[in-house]
Amino acid sequence: MIRKIIFCLLLVISLSACATLSGKKEISDADINAQAAKSYAEVKSKSKISTNPVWTAMVQRVAARIARASGENFQWEWVLIESPEVNAWCMPGGKIAVYTGIMPVLKNEAALAAVLGHEVAHAVRRHGKQRYARAMTENEIGLLVGGAAVIGGQLFCKTTACKLLAAGGGVAAGFAITFFDRKFSRGDESEADQFGQEYMARAGYEPSEAVRLWERMSIAMQGKAPPEWLSTHPSDEHRRQKLTEWLPEAESIYQAAPQHYGLGTNIPNS
Ligand SMILES: [Zn+2]
């Protein structure tokens, strides 16, 4: 209770201070990407990196292919984190993480390509940029917001990665809460699905697998806290309907791709 009151007080003070700062300046991609890179390094240093050689090699090659297919010139990085969470994300600037908990649900490389395509599309299309920018501007007023973020992080963070970064306070905490507890709009989600399907097709993976993957995913996630890509999405049925609608276009991109991997290699259960 006391923590909540302190948090609210800090929030009110922060917001009034922010009001005087709002509209002060635009935050560039470079600033956001630099913050993401720092946060990414922190997540990596505090997480257990998977030593599963088969899964690691798979993430390595699929992420590299999706990165190339996106056409974006980011400083790409990817990592497989040992965690039961059914999760994957891509920070602004191309910093990718896959959690070992998602691997058995995916079943094949094409499904991994669909998930990574979706996450990478959020980064490439600059979804959430306004929110990241706001989090960083708010931190310009100093430790006050950092303090609010630390307490807020412990109260509100849903993922271990968010809590991990929030504990450090400062800009990283603001970024973490904005990034990990983010909810993209339905429009952004739909766009990430469409671009993601396009990237996987261009990378040489059979794009119809995206439809089957989201089917498997919604069954696997029943009764569990939803990861990013299920949180604000329109109904599963609507999502599959749209992905099926875009399929002819994705299939023609797939046909024109320089390599064809089909569904790729099957993912072993461990
Ligand atoms: Zn999404």
Side-chain angles (χ1 to χ4, degrees), residues 7 147-159 162-163 166-167 173 177 181:
F7 174 71
V150 173
I151 301 166
Q154 296 310 312
L155 281 178
F156 300 121
C157 279
K158 292 186 201 82
T159 61
C162 178
K163 284 181 181 146
I177 292 167
D181 282 3

PDB file of all heavy atoms in Angstrom, residues 7 147-159 162-163 166-167 173 177 181:
ATOM      1  N   PHE A   7       4.572   5.494  -5.158  1.00  0.00           N
ATOM      2  CA  PHE A   7       4.631   5.444  -6.617  1.00  0.00           C
ATOM      3  C   PHE A   7       3.719   6.500  -7.239  1.00  0.00           C
ATOM      4  O   PHE A   7       4.106   7.220  -8.151  1.00  0.00           O
ATOM      5  CB  PHE A   7       4.236   4.055  -7.121  1.00  0.00           C
ATOM      6  CG  PHE A   7       4.141   3.985  -8.614  1.00  0.00           C
ATOM      7  CD1 PHE A   7       5.289   4.046  -9.383  1.00  0.00           C
ATOM      8  CD2 PHE A   7       2.909   3.895  -9.245  1.00  0.00           C
ATOM      9  CE1 PHE A   7       5.224   4.017 -10.762  1.00  0.00           C
ATOM     10  CE2 PHE A   7       2.834   3.865 -10.626  1.00  0.00           C
ATOM     11  CZ  PHE A   7       3.998   3.927 -11.371  1.00  0.00           C
ATOM     12  N   GLY A 147      13.344   6.626 -10.020  1.00  0.00           N
ATOM     13  CA  GLY A 147      12.804   6.047  -8.789  1.00  0.00           C
ATOM     14  C   GLY A 147      11.407   5.520  -8.993  1.00  0.00           C
ATOM     15  O   GLY A 147      11.077   4.407  -8.576  1.00  0.00           O
ATOM     16  N   ALA A 148      10.583   6.300  -9.698  1.00  0.00           N
ATOM     17  CA  ALA A 148       9.211   5.865  -9.978  1.00  0.00           C
ATOM     18  C   ALA A 148       9.229   4.600 -10.816  1.00  0.00           C
ATOM     19  O   ALA A 148       8.448   3.681 -10.601  1.00  0.00           O
ATOM     20  CB  ALA A 148       8.449   6.963 -10.707  1.00  0.00           C
ATOM     21  N   ALA A 149      10.169   4.557 -11.761  1.00  0.00           N
ATOM     22  CA  ALA A 149      10.240   3.392 -12.647  1.00  0.00           C
ATOM     23  C   ALA A 149      10.642   2.145 -11.873  1.00  0.00           C
ATOM     24  O   ALA A 149      10.127   1.063 -12.117  1.00  0.00           O
ATOM     25  CB  ALA A 149      11.231   3.662 -13.777  1.00  0.00           C
ATOM     26  N   VAL A 150      11.568   2.307 -10.926  1.00  0.00           N
ATOM     27  CA  VAL A 150      12.001   1.147 -10.140  1.00  0.00           C
ATOM     28  C   VAL A 150      10.820   0.556  -9.379  1.00  0.00           C
ATOM     29  O   VAL A 150      10.535  -0.629  -9.462  1.00  0.00           O
ATOM     30  CB  VAL A 150      13.118   1.538  -9.140  1.00  0.00           C
ATOM     31  CG1 VAL A 150      13.427   0.361  -8.236  1.00  0.00           C
ATOM     32  CG2 VAL A 150      14.359   1.973  -9.888  1.00  0.00           C
ATOM     33  N   ILE A 151      10.109   1.442  -8.662  1.00  0.00           N
ATOM     34  CA  ILE A 151       8.964   0.948  -7.885  1.00  0.00           C
ATOM     35  C   ILE A 151       7.874   0.449  -8.830  1.00  0.00           C
ATOM     36  O   ILE A 151       7.312  -0.619  -8.644  1.00  0.00           O
ATOM     37  CB  ILE A 151       8.415   2.068  -6.970  1.00  0.00           C
ATOM     38  CG1 ILE A 151       9.525   2.532  -6.026  1.00  0.00           C
ATOM     39  CG2 ILE A 151       7.228   1.560  -6.174  1.00  0.00           C
ATOM     40  CD1 ILE A 151       9.222   3.834  -5.316  1.00  0.00           C
ATOM     41  N   GLY A 152       7.619   1.224  -9.878  1.00  0.00           N
ATOM     42  CA  GLY A 152       6.596   0.834 -10.853  1.00  0.00           C
ATOM     43  C   GLY A 152       6.940  -0.486 -11.507  1.00  0.00           C
ATOM     44  O   GLY A 152       6.076  -1.323 -11.728  1.00  0.00           O
ATOM     45  N   GLY A 153       8.237  -0.652 -11.781  1.00  0.00           N
ATOM     46  CA  GLY A 153       8.682  -1.880 -12.428  1.00  0.00           C
ATOM     47  C   GLY A 153       8.388  -3.096 -11.573  1.00  0.00           C
ATOM     48  O   GLY A 153       7.863  -4.100 -12.042  1.00  0.00           O
ATOM     49  N   GLN A 154       8.692  -2.973 -10.287  1.00  0.00           N
ATOM     50  CA  GLN A 154       8.459  -4.100  -9.393  1.00  0.00           C
ATOM     51  C   GLN A 154       6.968  -4.375  -9.259  1.00  0.00           C
ATOM     52  O   GLN A 154       6.545  -5.513  -9.115  1.00  0.00           O
ATOM     53  CB  GLN A 154       9.086  -3.842  -8.022  1.00  0.00           C
ATOM     54  CG  GLN A 154      10.610  -3.725  -8.057  1.00  0.00           C
ATOM     55  CD  GLN A 154      11.276  -4.875  -8.808  1.00  0.00           C
ATOM     56  OE1 GLN A 154      10.970  -6.033  -8.586  1.00  0.00           O
ATOM     57  NE2 GLN A 154      12.173  -4.567  -9.735  1.00  0.00           N
ATOM     58  N   LEU A 155       6.175  -3.312  -9.314  1.00  0.00           N
ATOM     59  CA  LEU A 155       4.728  -3.506  -9.169  1.00  0.00           C
ATOM     60  C   LEU A 155       4.090  -4.014 -10.446  1.00  0.00           C
ATOM     61  O   LEU A 155       3.194  -4.834 -10.421  1.00  0.00           O
ATOM     62  CB  LEU A 155       4.057  -2.168  -8.798  1.00  0.00           C
ATOM     63  CG  LEU A 155       4.140  -1.712  -7.352  1.00  0.00           C
ATOM     64  CD1 LEU A 155       3.463  -0.361  -7.215  1.00  0.00           C
ATOM     65  CD2 LEU A 155       3.451  -2.715  -6.433  1.00  0.00           C
ATOM     66  N   PHE A 156       4.552  -3.467 -11.564  1.00  0.00           N
ATOM     67  CA  PHE A 156       3.791  -3.688 -12.794  1.00  0.00           C
ATOM     68  C   PHE A 156       4.448  -4.578 -13.839  1.00  0.00           C
ATOM     69  O   PHE A 156       3.793  -5.015 -14.762  1.00  0.00           O
ATOM     70  CB  PHE A 156       3.445  -2.341 -13.438  1.00  0.00           C
ATOM     71  CG  PHE A 156       2.615  -1.468 -12.538  1.00  0.00           C
ATOM     72  CD1 PHE A 156       3.066  -0.221 -12.148  1.00  0.00           C
ATOM     73  CD2 PHE A 156       1.392  -1.918 -12.060  1.00  0.00           C
ATOM     74  CE1 PHE A 156       2.307   0.578 -11.303  1.00  0.00           C
ATOM     75  CE2 PHE A 156       0.636  -1.131 -11.217  1.00  0.00           C
ATOM     76  CZ  PHE A 156       1.094   0.125 -10.826  1.00  0.00           C
ATOM     77  N   CYS A 157       5.757  -4.805 -13.729  1.00  0.00           N
ATOM     78  CA  CYS A 157       6.417  -5.635 -14.747  1.00  0.00           C
ATOM     79  C   CYS A 157       5.831  -7.040 -14.734  1.00  0.00           C
ATOM     80  O   CYS A 157       5.672  -7.628 -13.675  1.00  0.00           O
ATOM     81  CB  CYS A 157       7.914  -5.730 -14.480  1.00  0.00           C
ATOM     82  SG  CYS A 157       8.828  -4.317 -15.066  1.00  0.00           S
ATOM     83  N   LYS A 158       5.556  -7.559 -15.919  1.00  0.00           N
ATOM     84  CA  LYS A 158       5.018  -8.912 -15.998  1.00  0.00           C
ATOM     85  C   LYS A 158       6.121  -9.908 -16.317  1.00  0.00           C
ATOM     86  O   LYS A 158       6.070 -11.051 -15.915  1.00  0.00           O
ATOM     87  CB  LYS A 158       3.936  -8.983 -17.083  1.00  0.00           C
ATOM     88  CG  LYS A 158       2.690  -8.201 -16.727  1.00  0.00           C
ATOM     89  CD  LYS A 158       1.602  -8.446 -17.770  1.00  0.00           C
ATOM     90  CE  LYS A 158       0.563  -7.340 -17.759  1.00  0.00           C
ATOM     91  NZ  LYS A 158       1.026  -6.162 -18.534  1.00  0.00           N
ATOM     92  N   THR A 159       7.109  -9.474 -17.064  1.00  0.00           N
ATOM     93  CA  THR A 159       8.143 -10.417 -17.486  1.00  0.00           C
ATOM     94  C   THR A 159       9.392 -10.272 -16.622  1.00  0.00           C
ATOM     95  O   THR A 159       9.648  -9.206 -16.057  1.00  0.00           O
ATOM     96  CB  THR A 159       8.548 -10.160 -18.954  1.00  0.00           C
ATOM     97  OG1 THR A 159       9.078  -8.841 -19.040  1.00  0.00           O
ATOM     98  CG2 THR A 159       7.350 -10.282 -19.883  1.00  0.00           C
ATOM     99  N   CYS A 162      11.710  -7.479 -17.838  1.00  0.00           N
ATOM    100  CA  CYS A 162      11.288  -6.133 -17.428  1.00  0.00           C
ATOM    101  C   CYS A 162      11.738  -5.853 -15.999  1.00  0.00           C
ATOM    102  O   CYS A 162      12.344  -4.814 -15.709  1.00  0.00           O
ATOM    103  CB  CYS A 162       9.777  -5.996 -17.570  1.00  0.00           C
ATOM    104  SG  CYS A 162       9.125  -4.401 -17.055  1.00  0.00           S
ATOM    105  N   LYS A 163      11.480  -6.796 -15.105  1.00  0.00           N
ATOM    106  CA  LYS A 163      11.860  -6.623 -13.689  1.00  0.00           C
ATOM    107  C   LYS A 163      13.371  -6.452 -13.550  1.00  0.00           C
ATOM    108  O   LYS A 163      13.847  -5.635 -12.766  1.00  0.00           O
ATOM    109  CB  LYS A 163      11.408  -7.829 -12.863  1.00  0.00           C
ATOM    110  CG  LYS A 163       9.919  -7.808 -12.596  1.00  0.00           C
ATOM    111  CD  LYS A 163       9.466  -8.989 -11.767  1.00  0.00           C
ATOM    112  CE  LYS A 163       7.960  -8.918 -11.565  1.00  0.00           C
ATOM    113  NZ  LYS A 163       7.330 -10.225 -11.510  1.00  0.00           N
ATOM    114  N   ALA A 166      14.193  -2.943 -14.734  1.00  0.00           N
ATOM    115  CA  ALA A 166      13.563  -1.913 -13.903  1.00  0.00           C
ATOM    116  C   ALA A 166      14.327  -1.751 -12.589  1.00  0.00           C
ATOM    117  O   ALA A 166      14.440  -0.650 -12.056  1.00  0.00           O
ATOM    118  CB  ALA A 166      12.114  -2.264 -13.629  1.00  0.00           C
ATOM    119  N   ALA A 167      14.882  -2.856 -12.101  1.00  0.00           N
ATOM    120  CA  ALA A 167      15.600  -2.821 -10.828  1.00  0.00           C
ATOM    121  C   ALA A 167      16.788  -1.867 -10.869  1.00  0.00           C
ATOM    122  O   ALA A 167      17.180  -1.302  -9.852  1.00  0.00           O
ATOM    123  CB  ALA A 167      16.074  -4.222 -10.463  1.00  0.00           C
ATOM    124  N   ALA A 173      15.291   1.676 -16.876  1.00  0.00           N
ATOM    125  CA  ALA A 173      14.032   1.248 -16.273  1.00  0.00           C
ATOM    126  C   ALA A 173      12.850   1.778 -17.077  1.00  0.00           C
ATOM    127  O   ALA A 173      11.899   1.047 -17.366  1.00  0.00           O
ATOM    128  CB  ALA A 173      13.958   1.725 -14.832  1.00  0.00           C
ATOM    129  N   ILE A 177      10.146  -0.743 -19.031  1.00  0.00           N
ATOM    130  CA  ILE A 177       8.703  -0.797 -18.779  1.00  0.00           C
ATOM    131  C   ILE A 177       7.937  -0.493 -20.065  1.00  0.00           C
ATOM    132  O   ILE A 177       6.941  -1.128 -20.375  1.00  0.00           O
ATOM    133  CB  ILE A 177       8.313   0.165 -17.644  1.00  0.00           C
ATOM    134  CG1 ILE A 177       8.912  -0.367 -16.323  1.00  0.00           C
ATOM    135  CG2 ILE A 177       6.801   0.295 -17.515  1.00  0.00           C
ATOM    136  CD1 ILE A 177       8.868   0.611 -15.197  1.00  0.00           C
ATOM    137  N   ASP A 181       6.413  -4.172 -21.260  1.00  0.00           N
ATOM    138  CA  ASP A 181       4.992  -4.190 -20.942  1.00  0.00           C
ATOM    139  C   ASP A 181       4.197  -3.423 -21.989  1.00  0.00           C
ATOM    140  O   ASP A 181       3.142  -2.892 -21.722  1.00  0.00           O
ATOM    141  CB  ASP A 181       4.747  -3.640 -19.532  1.00  0.00           C
ATOM    142  CG  ASP A 181       5.091  -4.675 -18.466  1.00  0.00           C
ATOM    143  OD1 ASP A 181       5.565  -5.760 -18.856  1.00  0.00           O
ATOM    144  OD2 ASP A 181       4.892  -4.397 -17.284  1.00  0.00           O
TER     145      ASP A 181
END
